[in-house]
């Protein structure tokens, strides 16, 4: 591959990966997110065109024939499939189909170079047998499905750890060809693992779309009619009033007697004392306003006995008796004498008649 072409595809591929990484920190509803997404897809599509024009990968070659620096370009279609499905468009089915085709090109390329592991090879063959019914959890047994989920989660965790370990020293990779190939193979293994998850998701979404009821096409004539004409609100002169006049409400089916001859109500109604009450109720908050202040409420609760006073540290402080007030002193003396007599008549433990020794 010529140096200019190699530099071009390397620059585009690095830019696409950088834009894809930026998407992780952006809101999917923001304008920047969609711009970066579209730019990344355009860069990857240009990379694929360059790879096809120079025949970067050929079915007549073996994996050992691919230069170490070119192994990373095997994942171009994987990134395309991952990004296309994130786009927002009215034709969701077309997006899913384009994403699936990109994933299939990626797996087919790895299968051509015999890079797929034996387990991934079996999954790929099972996927080709029935694309629309493909699922990673083929078994209907709950315990088996759980074991498959756990095994694939552990496998993905191990792949990420291996990839992190191999990419710890980028400078060493420049002079070690075997370490560079091991790094790219670890990346391809992780991408393949995530590809089957994506194909499972796409197959599920295809089945959901197929089972959804068809939507009826809108009537163009109905769309042309204005809302006021469909609801019978068109009058001789246009008005911006939000509340229709009483005459219009009467025409819309609210006319007629409120009560029947037997006195039974024929429609809901509200009893008002006069028109001023109705007029005063127009411009007011939509919530109930307070009818008293906080002090008035607390005073009312205290009057009704809803507030318990006392307690706290002050409850343990004994009041000081004024010795000069003989009436109070006599009351305290009689209270203490009565308590002493009660303790003499009822010694401690006299009430316990069941557990005596």
């Amino acid at each position: 591959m010529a140096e200019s072409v190699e530099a071009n595809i390397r620059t585009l591929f690095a830019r696409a990966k950088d834009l894809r990484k930026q998407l992780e920190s952006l809101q999917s509803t923001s304008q920047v997110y969609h711009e970066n997404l579209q730019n990344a897809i355009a860069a990857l599509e240009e990379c694929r065109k360059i790879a096809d024009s120079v025949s970067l990968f050929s079915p007549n070659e073996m994996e050992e024939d691919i230069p170490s620096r070119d192994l990373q370009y095997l994942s171009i279609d994987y990134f395309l499939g991952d990004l296309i499905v994130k786009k927002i468009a009215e034709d969701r089915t077309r997006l899913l189909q384009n994403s699936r085709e990109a994933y299939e090109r990626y797996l087919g390329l790895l299968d051509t170079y015999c890079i797929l592991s034996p387990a991934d090879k079996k999954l790929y063959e099972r996927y080709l047998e029935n694309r629309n019914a493909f699922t990673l959890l083929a078994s209907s047994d709950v315990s088996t499905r759980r074991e498959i989920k756990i095994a694939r989660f552990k496998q993905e965790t191990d792949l990420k750890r291996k990839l992190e370990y191999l990419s710890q020293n980028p400078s060493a990779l420049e002079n070690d060809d075997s370490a560079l190939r091991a790094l790219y193979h670890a990346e391809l293994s992780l991408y393949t693992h995530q590809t089957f998850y994506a194909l499972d998701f796409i197959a599920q979404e295809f089945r959901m779309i197929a089972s959804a009821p068809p939507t009826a096409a809108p009537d163009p004539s109905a769309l042309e009619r204005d809302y006021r004409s469909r609801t019978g609100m068109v009058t001789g002169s246009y008005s911006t009033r939000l509340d229709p006049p009483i005459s219009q409400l009467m025409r819309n089916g609210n006319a007629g007697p409120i009560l029947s001859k037997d006195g039974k109500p024929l429609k809901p109604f509200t009893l008002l004392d006069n028109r001023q009450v109705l007029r005063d109720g127009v411009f007011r908050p939509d919530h109930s306003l307070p009818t008293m202040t906080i002090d008035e409420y607390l005073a009312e609760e205290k009057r009704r006995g809803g507030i318990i006073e006392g307690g706290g540290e002050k409850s343990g402080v004994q009041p000081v008796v004024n010795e000069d007030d003989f009436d109070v002193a006599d009351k305290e003396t009689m209270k203490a004498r009565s308590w002493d007599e009660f303790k003499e008549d009822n010694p401690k433990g006299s009430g316990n008649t069941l557990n005596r020794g």
Side-chain angles (χ1 to χ4, degrees), residues 39-252:
N39 293 335
I41 293 175
L44 289 171
E45 289 178 345
E46 188 65 25
C47 288
R48 187 157 62 87
K49 290 180 181 179
I50 295 175
D52 293 341
S53 63
V54 299
S55 300
L56 187 61
F57 304 110
S58 173
N60 300 323
E61 296 178 342
M62 301 295 292
E63 186 270 335
E64 295 81 3
D65 299 329
I66 304 177
S68 300
R69 291 293 178 184
D70 294 344
L71 282 174
Q72 58 180 328
Y73 304 130
L74 289 170
S75 59
I76 291 176
D77 286 315
Y78 162 76
F79 289 122
L80 269 175
D82 178 59
L83 294 177
I84 289 175
V85 78
K86 296 179 181 178
K87 294 176 63 177
I88 298 177
E90 295 182 359
D91 192 356
R92 180 65 179 173
T93 304
R94 185 59 184 169
L95 284 181
L96 293 175
Q97 185 63 33
N98 292 340
S99 178
R100 173 190 279 181
E101 292 174 356
Y103 282 128
E104 289 178 356
R105 289 194 302 268
Y106 167 73
L107 292 176
L109 193 58
L110 296 189
D111 185 45
T112 301
Y113 285 101
C114 301
I115 299 178
L116 292 176
S117 64
D120 292 336
K121 177 70 174 178
K122 291 181 180 179
L123 274 178
Y124 182 53
E125 292 175 352
R126 183 154 62 86
Y127 167 75
L128 293 178
E129 291 176 1
N130 194 344
R131 293 174 170 84
N132 295 327
F134 174 74
T135 177
L136 290 173
L137 308 176
S139 176
S140 59
D141 183 57
V142 178
S143 60
T144 305
R145 294 166 65 93
R146 181 174 178 272
E147 292 176 359
I148 294 175
K149 285 184 178 180
I150 294 174
R152 292 195 65 84
F153 176 77
K154 290 181 178 179
Q155 182 183 1
E156 183 175 358
T157 304
D158 294 340
L159 289 172
K160 289 182 178 179
R161 288 177 179 174
K162 181 180 179 181
L163 185 59
E164 183 179 1
Y165 174 76
L166 293 174
S167 58
Q168 286 180 352
N169 192 0
S171 59
L173 297 175
E174 298 178 359
N175 302 322
D176 192 346
D177 189 72
S178 60
L180 184 62
R181 297 185 76 89
L183 173 64
Y184 288 145
H185 276 286
E187 287 184 347
L188 294 175
S189 299
L190 178 61
Y191 298 157
T192 303
H193 185 87
Q194 295 173 345
T195 294
F196 286 115
Y197 270 119
L199 291 175
D200 187 356
F201 170 78
I202 291 174
Q204 292 181 30
E205 192 165 353
F206 266 125
R207 291 193 291 269
M208 292 174 59
I209 294 175
S211 61
T215 56
D219 185 8
S221 60
L223 296 176
E224 293 176 358
R225 293 198 302 268
D226 186 76
Y227 171 78
R228 296 183 299 277
S229 63
R230 296 198 304 269
T231 55
M233 297 177 61
V234 173
T235 57
S237 59
Y238 176 73
S239 175
T240 57
R241 286 183 56 176
L242 298 179
D243 53 332
I246 297 179
S247 59
Q248 181 176 336
L249 294 176
M250 299 290 284
R251 292 197 306 269
N252 290 341

